[in-house]
Amino acid sequence: MSVMRIRIILLLILLASHCVSAATQELLPASLGDWTSARGVRLTPREIERAAGEDAALLREYGVTAAEQRTYIRGTRALQMTVYVFPDSSAAYGAYSFLRTGAVAVDGHPGTTSPRHGTRRMLLGNFILEMSGNVPEAQLHAPDELQKQLLVWADSAPYPMLSQYLPAEGLVRGTERYLLTKESLARVLPFERSDWVSFEYGAEAEVARYRTNGTPSTLLLISYPTPQAAQLKQAELGRWLNVNNSETSKTNRPIAYVRRILSILAIVVDAQSPEAAKTLLAGIEYQPTFSWNEPGHRATDPPILFVIYHIMVGIGVLLAFALVAGISFGGLRVVTKFFFPGKVFDRPATMEIIQLGLSSKPIEAKDFY
C-alpha cells in the first residue's frame, strides 16, 4: 500500500471520528449551579415525541436532527431542559416561530424567551432550548453560562430577514410564522395543500395576521432567489388564487391581492376590501438599495505626441543597450586575446573546415584571422 493511500485512509478516519464526537457531544452540562442531574438522554428525530409530544411533527417538518434532555434536581424542585438541534439557524427560527404561539417576544426578535403553558423556550442559533418544571416562573430561565456555552456550538448565521419587512401598523404580535415547507404553509393557509409557493426551488416565506379597523387579514411575504423567479410565480398565481378579484365568474379560489417588489411577492388574503389590502401592501418596509462599487476606467487613446515621445525613449533605451553590450563583448574579446593569445579565441589549430573543393585554392583556418 502506497504512502499516499495510507495518508488518505488516516485522514478519513480522523474526519469520521470528528463527526462522531460532534454528533455525540453533550450540549447540557451535568450541573447548573446547585442543580444536579443524571446522565442526559439523546433522542433521534424518530424519538422526538418523547420530548416534544404533539409538536414532534412540526419539528420534523423543519428538519430537527436530534434532541438532548436532562432533568435537574434541587431539593424538591425539578427543572427539565431540552435542546432541539436543527440543521441551521433558519430552520430553528421557523420552528420557533410556531412554538411561540401565545408567547410574548421582545419586539418580535428571535433569541428571547417565550412562555407557553408553564414552558419557556429560547432560540440560540440552530438550537431551541426548552425549559419546564415545578419551579416559580422567575426561576424558569437558562443561566448565562449555559447560553454562552450553547452559542459557542450554535450556528452563527443570521436569522431570516423577512419579518423585518412586515408593516408594523395593525400587526397582531406573536402571529408571525416563518415558512420553509408546504406543510408549514398549510398550517396557516389551509386552502391549498400543494407546494404552490415553490419551496423546493429555494423560496422562503413569512406570514402574519393583521387587524385593520377591527377586521382581520393575512399577509404573506414570499422571497425568491431572483426577480425573474418571482415574476414567473406571480404570473401563475391564478391557478390557486383569484388574483385582485379579477375573475368575473364565481369561483372557489380565495381572493388575494398581490404586489411584487423585485424578488419578493406580497399576497394579502382574507381582506375585507381592496382598499384595506392595498393599504397593507403599501406598508411593506422592503426598500431595496443598489450600489456600484466596481472600479471603472475610460478606454481613451493617449495624445499622439505622448505616444511618439515614449516610442523615441524606447528606441533610445534599446540603442544604448546594444551599444553597451557591443562594447562590453568587444572589450572582453580584446582583453582575452591580449592575455591568452590563441587559447580562447582565434585557434586555427582546433578549427576544421568542410570544403566542397569547387575552387582551386584550399581555404585555411588562418585565413579567417
Side-chain angles (χ1 to χ4, degrees), residues 67 72 88 112 134 139 144 178 226 273 291 296 304 334 339 352:
Y72 296 89
D88 50 49
T112 58
N134 60 338
Q139 299 180 10
D144 294 339
Y178 179 68
T226 63
S273 65
S291 61
I304 186 64
V334 170
F339 287 102
E352 182 179 356

Side-chain angles (χ1 to χ4, degrees), residues 146-179:
L146 176 59
Q147 297 182 38
K148 293 178 181 179
Q149 177 179 325
L150 290 176
L151 286 174
V152 170
W153 295 326
D155 180 16
S156 59
Y159 297 111
M161 300 181 62
L162 275 176
S163 61
Q164 301 180 20
Y165 308 145
L166 294 171
E169 186 176 357
L171 175 64
V172 181
R173 294 291 180 180
T175 62
E176 306 95 324
R177 302 287 182 267
Y178 179 68
L179 313 175

Side-chain angles (χ1 to χ4, degrees), residues 13-304:
I13 293 174
L14 289 174
L15 289 175
S17 62
H18 174 74
C19 294
V20 170
S21 62
T24 58
Q25 175 69 52
E26 290 190 352
L27 301 175
L28 296 173
S31 61
L32 293 174
D34 53 355
W35 294 82
T36 59
S37 74
R39 183 174 179 82
V41 178
R42 188 82 173 184
L43 304 175
T44 64
R46 292 184 178 181
E47 303 169 326
I48 213 73
E49 279 87 357
R50 292 169 55 184
E54 61 183 10
D55 295 325
L58 170 67
L59 298 180
R60 276 195 286 263
E61 286 175 16
Y62 282 90
V64 63
T65 59
E68 184 178 322
Q69 193 171 58
R70 277 183 183 270
T71 300
Y72 296 89
I73 304 297
R74 187 181 65 182
T76 60
R77 300 288 187 180
L79 177 63
Q80 188 176 69
M81 288 199 175
T82 306
V83 177
Y84 299 102
V85 185
F86 292 85
D88 50 49
S89 57
S90 295
Y93 171 74
Y96 179 80
S97 68
F98 278 91
L99 292 176
R100 68 181 181 185
T101 301
V104 180
V106 179
D107 296 331
H109 292 300
T112 58
T113 57
S114 59
R116 179 193 179 190
H117 306 308
T119 300
R120 282 186 179 270
R121 295 186 176 91
M122 178 176 291
L123 179 62
L124 300 167
N126 63 318
F127 300 142
I128 295 179
L129 176 61
E130 183 178 274
M131 298 153 284
S132 62
N134 60 338
V135 297
E137 186 174 330
Q139 299 180 10
L140 201 61
H141 69 280
D144 294 339
E145 294 77 11
L146 176 59
Q147 297 182 38
K148 293 178 181 179
Q149 177 179 325
L150 290 176
L151 286 174
V152 170
W153 295 326
D155 180 16
S156 59
Y159 297 111
M161 300 181 62
L162 275 176
S163 61
Q164 301 180 20
Y165 308 145
L166 294 171
E169 186 176 357
L171 175 64
V172 181
R173 294 291 180 180
T175 62
E176 306 95 324
R177 302 287 182 267
Y178 179 68
L179 313 175
L180 284 176
T181 64
K182 63 180 182 180
E183 291 82 8
S184 59
L185 178 62
R187 287 173 179 265
V188 292
L189 296 175
F191 62 84
E192 178 62 40
R193 296 288 177 177
S194 64
D195 184 15
W196 60 274
V197 166
S198 297
F199 290 113
E200 61 178 337
Y201 296 111
E204 56 179 347
E206 184 92 16
V207 66
R209 307 291 183 185
Y210 282 82
R211 184 170 294 275
T212 305
N213 297 327
T215 59
S217 58
T218 302
L219 174 61
L220 176 66
L221 294 183
I222 311 172
S223 177
Y224 290 93
T226 63
Q228 292 78 9
Q231 186 178 19
L232 291 175
K233 178 56 65 174
Q234 182 182 14
E236 65 174 11
L237 283 178
R239 296 171 53 187
W240 306 280
L241 302 170
N242 181 3
V243 179
N244 298 329
N245 199 16
S246 59
E247 298 184 10
T248 57
S249 59
K250 187 176 181 180
T251 176
N252 293 327
R253 288 189 287 269
I255 299 175
Y257 298 89
V258 181
R259 177 191 177 194
R260 183 176 71 88
I261 310 174
L262 293 181
S263 59
I264 289 184
L265 278 183
I267 303 174
V268 176
V269 295
D270 302 330
Q272 297 300 314
S273 65
E275 291 74 19
K278 291 178 181 178
T279 301
L280 187 56
L281 291 174
I284 295 173
E285 301 177 1
Y286 177 62
Q287 299 295 333
T289 58
F290 301 92
S291 61
W292 189 274
N293 54 9
E294 184 175 349
H297 63 278
R298 288 187 175 183
T300 57
D301 295 331
I304 186 64

Side-chain angles (χ1 to χ4, degrees), residues 327-347:
I327 293 175
S328 301
F329 180 74
L332 177 63
R333 186 181 179 93
V334 170
V335 171
T336 303
K337 289 177 65 176
F338 179 80
F339 287 102
F340 306 100
K343 294 184 178 181
V344 179
F345 300 105
D346 306 339
R347 296 175 294 170

